[in-house]
Amino acid sequence: ETGVTQTPRHLVMGMTNKKSLKCEQHLGHNAMYWYKQSAKKPLELMFVYNFKEQTENNSVPSRFSPECPNSSHLFLHLHTLQPEDSALYLCASSQDLVGSSYNEQFFGPGTRLTVL
Amino acid sequence: GQSLEQPSEVTAVEGAIVQINCTYQTSGFYGLSWYQQHDGGAPTFLSYNALDGLEETGRFSSFLSRSDSYGYLLLQELQMKDSASYFCAVLLDSNYQLIWGAGTKLIIKP
């Protein structure tokens, strides 16, 4: 596997279900991100991890719970979601958060989530 | 608040040149970047402008004018494979986060 992988690619869940999204990066990067992408809207940054430590939580509801056990893996645990949470959830990584040069973000293919 | 505006859709003909504009309202930022996303695919990095002026990478060029709060992506010799959505994003200097535009869907006709 190369780059950034995400599983599952598609997920349908009821509002009472609990599920988890998984992201793995094979690039040796130190920073990882969760984004929400809804149609015709800007990407919304949800969480940022740098060296396994959460550095940002952009007012995300508690029904979304991130976990970063190491620099290569990132999870998003989901519970009691709402239909408006249906979207494409993208994981990304970058070499670092800060630096003297731009840190390009590498994205996974995303998980298409549908909440019924 | 901080926001970026870009057209929702642009149509062009194969072989032609197209410019996708991005205007922004933001406090301090390091630079403007552009990403491409094909339907069903992941966003991929195209370019980054830290300084005012034009950056050229093959058929693609990107421009930034901080005084005008404006940038654009220029695509030359359009090919059908360039049909995709293009996103501009600014890198904030307060927290090193990217703030994104809503994307421009580029439709290319033969």
Side-chain angles (χ1 to χ4, degrees), chain B residues 22-78:
Chain B
C22 175
T23 57
Y24 55 85
Q25 289 187 329
T26 182
S27 53
F29 69 101
Y30 283 117
L32 180 70
S33 57
W34 289 91
Y35 283 76
Q36 178 193 61
Q37 185 179 29
H38 287 98
D39 283 347
T44 56
F45 172 77
L46 289 178
S47 68
Y48 175 67
N49 292 68
L51 304 174
D52 282 6
L54 193 67
E55 294 280 345
E56 297 180 71
T57 307
R59 295 187 297 115
F60 293 2
S61 302
S62 57
F63 174 84
L64 174 64
S65 170
R66 289 175 183 266
S67 59
D68 296 319
S69 297
Y70 164 74
Y72 66 73
L73 180 69
L74 189 73
L75 296 83
Q76 302 182 74
E77 300 173 19
L78 285 173

Side-chain angles (χ1 to χ4, degrees), chain A residues 9 33 35 37 40-45 48 56 58 88 90 97-99 102-109, chain B residues 4 8-9 33 35 37 40-45 47-48 87 91 95-103 105:
Chain A
R9 293 296 307 276
Y33 313 78
Y35 285 94
Q37 185 175 34
K40 301 189 186 303
K41 293 178 66 175
L43 270 72
E44 300 173 45
L45 180 65
V48 181
E56 291 291 336
N58 280 357
L88 181 68
L90 291 164
L97 279 183
V98 301
Y102 179 68
N103 282 289
E104 171 189 348
Q105 292 188 10
F106 293 79
F107 285 82
Chain B
L4 291 87
S8 60
E9 190 174 291
S33 57
Y35 283 76
Q37 185 179 29
T44 56
F45 172 77
S47 68
Y48 175 67
F87 295 85
L91 180 64
N95 57 13
Y96 305 99
Q97 290 184 24
L98 283 175
I99 302 297
W100 297 76
K105 185 177 179 66

Side-chain angles (χ1 to χ4, degrees), chain A residues 72-91:
Chain A
S72 299
H73 294 86
L74 188 63
F75 294 89
L76 188 63
H77 304 300
L78 316 171
H79 64 96
T80 58
L81 295 190
Q82 305 297 312
E84 59 264 30
D85 296 322
S86 298
L88 181 68
Y89 288 84
L90 291 164
C91 173

